[in-house]
Amino acid sequence: MDAQWTMWLTTTALALVMLLVLRPVATRVGLIDVPGDRKQHTGHIPLIGGVGSFAALALAWFVLMPSNEHFQLFFSCAFVLVSIGAIDDARDLPAKFRLGAQVAMAIVLVTGTGLYLDGFGDLLGFGVIEFGPWLGALVTIAAVIGATNAFNMMDGIDGLAGMMSLVSLLALTYLFSASPGFDFELMLAFGICVALGPYMAMNLQLPLFRHKIFMGDAGSIFVGFAIVWLLVCGTQSDAQAFRPVTALWIIAVPLMDMVAIMFRRARKGQSLMTPDREHLHHIFLRAGFNQRQALLTITFVATVLAAVGLTGEVYQVPEWIMFAGFLGLFMLYDRALSHVWRLLVLFRKTCLWGAVGDPQASAEPVRPVSRGQK
């Protein structure tokens, strides 16, 4: 226990130091975010949250943690993705190149560790759905790429990608702490939580932290990559910390937002990689919420859904029931998007947000979101 807290406290201290050191460097190397068409903030903001958090965690890990080949390979792959993400933050790399790098690192990690999703569990109630090595590896690679980008898409308003990551990581921390034999997974899950702490304080400009920073693609890609890898590690059939269906609930909001927006782009005949301002947080802003209100509401929903998954895992609710519930929730979510602006305006009017509103965050004007606009 002492070794765990030494690792976590060291990571927290290093993350704070890294961010303070990197902030002036970011301006010199162009690692800053400038307001534009889809970026509504004011001023030039350093994109160092992800780089600093990853550097602190990696340094503490390799100094304080015992050697483990699987996690050494994970950090190596993560380093490549963080580096590419940082270059993209500074120079805007082509989307296909970034996707290609994610595919390559997913392949390296799966083949190098030999870990992959070997089944989906009893999702349909007719028995366990099992994969062979080749299909399992392909499904795992697709899952890594999908979940990585799901968290990347959440990085649209202050604190959102960080809060979605913390919800998932804290749920994983609980599951790994309750399961023997997952010491490394537990250390990584909570290690990322504490590494994100100083970033979140600066990003949300909490007391004593007046200089804002952003996570950047480097950070959102790293936390997505790490979370999905922890989900793979925890659902191995030979040593399982939780069932595969529980993973859906742990990342429910980022996953549903990504899949729903892909459906909308496909219905409109657009490229699935076309950037836009039609994500869940954008819809909240158009409904009249300010950024802090949207952050708190979406975080609350993500926490409730993760809690549903944890409750189902603890009480061993049949997997097919949990899966049916998740599918039903997603269908309701996708359907509600055509009327979501009315629902959110009504919800906002009935909630007392004055005490938690952010006076510095601006809200976009309310306008309908028709099926054709999404």
Side-chain angles (χ1 to χ4, degrees):
M1 183 63 70
D2 290 341
Q4 289 180 334
W5 283 105
T6 298
M7 162 69 184
W8 292 330
L9 291 174
T10 302
T11 300
T12 305
L14 284 174
L16 180 58
V17 171
M18 288 287 184
L19 295 179
L20 294 175
V21 170
L22 288 174
R23 193 173 185 280
V25 175
T27 302
R28 292 198 294 269
V29 301
L31 196 57
I32 55 176
D33 203 20
V34 181
D37 292 338
R38 295 184 300 112
K39 302 175 180 180
Q40 304 299 311
H41 61 274
T42 57
H44 294 189
I45 311 298
L47 292 161
I48 58 173
V51 174
S53 299
F54 171 77
L57 177 64
L59 179 59
W61 187 280
F62 282 103
V63 171
L64 298 175
M65 290 292 291
S67 177
N68 181 290
E69 292 183 359
H70 288 180
F71 283 87
Q72 288 176 346
L73 182 58
F74 162 78
F75 273 101
S76 298
C77 294
F79 173 77
V80 173
L81 293 180
V82 170
S83 300
I84 292 174
I87 295 172
D88 178 55
D89 286 331
R91 300 289 183 265
D92 285 331
L93 296 174
K96 291 183 178 179
F97 177 81
R98 287 181 279 126
L99 180 61
Q102 293 171 22
V103 172
M105 291 303 99
I107 292 173
V108 170
L109 191 56
V110 170
T111 56
T113 63
L115 297 178
Y116 55 85
L117 292 169
D118 49 13
F120 279 159
D122 186 16
L123 291 186
L124 303 179
F126 302 115
V128 176
I129 301 173
E130 296 180 336
F131 302 138
W134 284 101
L135 180 58
L138 290 175
V139 171
T140 304
I141 291 167
V144 170
I145 296 166
T148 299
N149 284 282
F151 281 89
N152 181 239
M153 290 179 177
M154 285 280 104
D155 192 20
I157 61 175
D158 288 350
L160 186 57
M163 290 304 295
M164 294 299 99
S165 302
L166 289 175
V167 169
S168 298
L169 288 165
L170 289 173
L172 286 168
T173 297
Y174 169 77
L175 291 168
F176 288 135
S177 66
S179 305
F182 289 91
D183 295 339
F184 282 92
E185 289 81 1
L186 172 61
M187 293 296 290
L188 180 59
F190 197 66
I192 300 174
C193 288
V194 298
L196 290 175
Y199 153 72
M200 291 295 295
M202 292 184 181
N203 180 247
L204 296 175
Q205 293 182 292
L206 300 182
L208 304 180
F209 296 92
R210 59 189 181 89
H211 297 296
K212 180 184 283 293
I213 62 172
F214 286 162
M215 178 179 282
D217 280 351
S220 57
I221 288 175
F222 166 62
V223 294
F225 186 71
I227 288 170
V228 69
W229 186 243
L230 287 170
L231 293 175
V232 172
C233 292
T235 54
Q236 297 294 299
S237 60
D238 56 341
Q240 196 172 73
F242 50 90
R243 301 168 300 176
V245 70
T246 304
L248 298 177
W249 292 91
I250 290 175
I251 61 170
V253 170
L255 181 61
M256 288 194 297
D257 182 61
M258 181 194 70
V259 175
I261 204 164
M262 292 300 177
F263 283 171
R264 294 201 297 275
R265 289 172 183 173
R267 284 195 290 259
K268 292 164 63 176
Q270 296 178 340
S271 168
L272 299 183
M273 302 183 69
T274 301
D276 55 34
R277 290 179 56 82
E278 302 294 342
H279 290 282
L280 181 61
H281 48 277
H282 296 134
I283 295 172
F284 270 84
L285 296 180
R286 286 203 300 273
F289 288 69
N290 64 37
Q291 288 199 21
R292 190 61 56 89
Q293 293 166 355
L295 171 66
L296 292 175
T297 305
I298 297 172
T299 300
F300 174 76
V301 172
T303 302
V304 170
L305 296 181
V308 170
L310 293 180
T311 302
E313 184 66 31
V314 169
Y315 290 99
Q316 290 294 290
V317 176
E319 293 170 87
W320 69 268
I321 293 179
M322 296 298 293
F323 183 60
F326 185 84
L327 279 184
L329 181 66
F330 174 75
M331 293 172 64
L332 181 64
Y333 170 78
D334 187 54
R335 177 63 179 170
L337 285 176
S338 59
H339 307 291
V340 71
W341 69 276
R342 295 188 182 93
L343 297 174
L344 288 177
V345 170
L346 178 63
F347 175 72
R348 180 173 174 267
K349 288 180 178 179
T350 57
C351 288
L352 298 177
W353 281 109
V356 298
D358 181 0
Q360 296 179 341
S362 61
E364 296 184 15
V366 178
R367 67 177 178 86
V369 182
S370 67
R371 176 67 66 174
Q373 290 175 306
K374 296 198 302 274

Coordinates of all heavy atoms in Angstrom, one line a residue, residues 144 147-149 151-152 165 219-229:
V144 N -9.9 -0.7 -29.8 CA -8.9 0.3 -29.3 C -9.0 1.5 -30.1 O -9.0 2.6 -29.6 CB -7.5 -0.3 -29.5 CG1 -6.5 0.7 -29.2 CG2 -7.3 -1.5 -28.5
A147 N -12.6 3.3 -29.2 CA -12.7 4.0 -27.9 C -11.7 5.1 -27.8 O -12.0 6.1 -27.1 CB -12.4 2.9 -26.8
T148 N -10.5 5.0 -28.4 CA -9.5 6.1 -28.4 C -10.1 7.3 -29.0 O -10.0 8.4 -28.4 CB -8.3 5.7 -29.1 OG1 -7.7 4.5 -28.5 CG2 -7.3 6.8 -29.2
N149 N -10.8 7.2 -30.1 CA -11.4 8.4 -30.7 C -12.6 8.8 -30.0 O -13.0 10.0 -30.1 CB -11.7 8.0 -32.2 CG -10.4 8.0 -33.1 OD1 -9.9 9.1 -33.4 ND2 -9.9 6.9 -33.4
F151 N -13.0 9.1 -26.8 CA -12.6 10.1 -25.8 C -12.0 11.3 -26.4 O -12.2 12.4 -25.9 CB -11.6 9.4 -24.9 CG -12.2 8.6 -23.8 CD1 -12.5 7.2 -24.1 CD2 -12.6 9.1 -22.6 CE1 -13.1 6.4 -23.1 CE2 -13.3 8.3 -21.6 CZ -13.5 7.0 -21.9
N152 N -11.4 11.2 -27.6 CA -10.8 12.4 -28.3 C -12.0 13.3 -28.7 O -11.8 14.5 -28.6 CB -10.0 11.9 -29.5 CG -9.4 13.0 -30.3 OD1 -9.7 13.2 -31.4 ND2 -8.6 13.8 -29.6
S165 N -12.9 10.8 -18.6 CA -11.8 9.9 -18.3 C -11.8 9.5 -16.8 O -11.6 8.4 -16.5 CB -10.5 10.6 -18.7 OG -10.4 10.9 -20.0
G219 N -3.4 14.4 -25.2 CA -3.9 13.9 -24.0 C -5.2 13.1 -24.1 O -5.3 12.0 -23.5
S220 N -6.1 13.6 -24.9 CA -7.4 12.8 -25.1 C -7.1 11.5 -25.8 O -7.8 10.5 -25.5 CB -8.4 13.7 -25.9 OG -7.8 14.1 -27.2
I221 N -6.2 11.4 -26.7 CA -5.9 10.1 -27.4 C -5.2 9.2 -26.4 O -5.5 8.0 -26.3 CB -5.0 10.4 -28.6 CG1 -5.8 11.0 -29.7 CG2 -4.3 9.1 -29.1 CD1 -5.0 11.4 -30.9
F222 N -4.3 9.7 -25.5 CA -3.7 8.9 -24.5 C -4.7 8.3 -23.6 O -4.6 7.1 -23.3 CB -2.6 9.7 -23.8 CG -2.1 9.0 -22.5 CD1 -1.5 7.7 -22.6 CD2 -2.3 9.5 -21.3 CE1 -1.1 7.1 -21.5 CE2 -1.9 8.8 -20.1 CZ -1.3 7.6 -20.2
V223 N -5.5 9.1 -23.0 CA -6.5 8.6 -22.0 C -7.4 7.6 -22.6 O -7.8 6.5 -22.0 CB -7.2 9.7 -21.2 CG1 -6.3 10.5 -20.4 CG2 -8.0 10.6 -22.2
G224 N -7.9 7.8 -23.9 CA -8.7 6.9 -24.5 C -8.0 5.6 -24.8 O -8.6 4.5 -24.6
F225 N -6.8 5.7 -25.2 CA -6.0 4.5 -25.5 C -5.7 3.7 -24.2 O -5.8 2.4 -24.2 CB -4.6 4.9 -26.1 CG -3.7 3.8 -26.6 CD1 -4.0 3.1 -27.7 CD2 -2.5 3.5 -25.9 CE1 -3.2 2.1 -28.1 CE2 -1.7 2.5 -26.3 CZ -2.0 1.8 -27.4
A226 N -5.5 4.4 -23.1 CA -5.2 3.7 -21.9 C -6.5 3.0 -21.3 O -6.4 1.9 -20.8 CB -4.7 4.7 -20.9
I227 N -7.6 3.7 -21.4 CA -8.8 3.2 -20.8 C -9.2 1.9 -21.6 O -9.6 0.9 -21.0 CB -9.9 4.3 -20.9 CG1 -9.6 5.3 -19.8 CG2 -11.3 3.6 -20.6 CD1 -10.5 6.6 -19.9
V228 N -9.2 2.0 -22.9 CA -9.7 0.8 -23.6 C -8.7 -0.4 -23.4 O -9.1 -1.5 -23.4 CB -9.8 1.1 -25.1 CG1 -8.5 1.4 -25.8 CG2 -10.6 0.0 -25.9
W229 N -7.4 -0.1 -23.2 CA -6.5 -1.2 -23.0 C -6.7 -1.8 -21.6 O -6.7 -3.0 -21.4 CB -5.0 -0.7 -23.1 CG -4.1 -1.9 -23.0 CD1 -3.1 -2.1 -22.0 CD2 -4.0 -3.0 -23.8 NE1 -2.5 -3.2 -22.2 CE2 -3.0 -3.8 -23.4 CE3 -4.7 -3.4 -25.0 CZ2 -2.7 -5.0 -24.0 CZ3 -4.4 -4.6 -25.6 CH2 -3.4 -5.4 -25.1

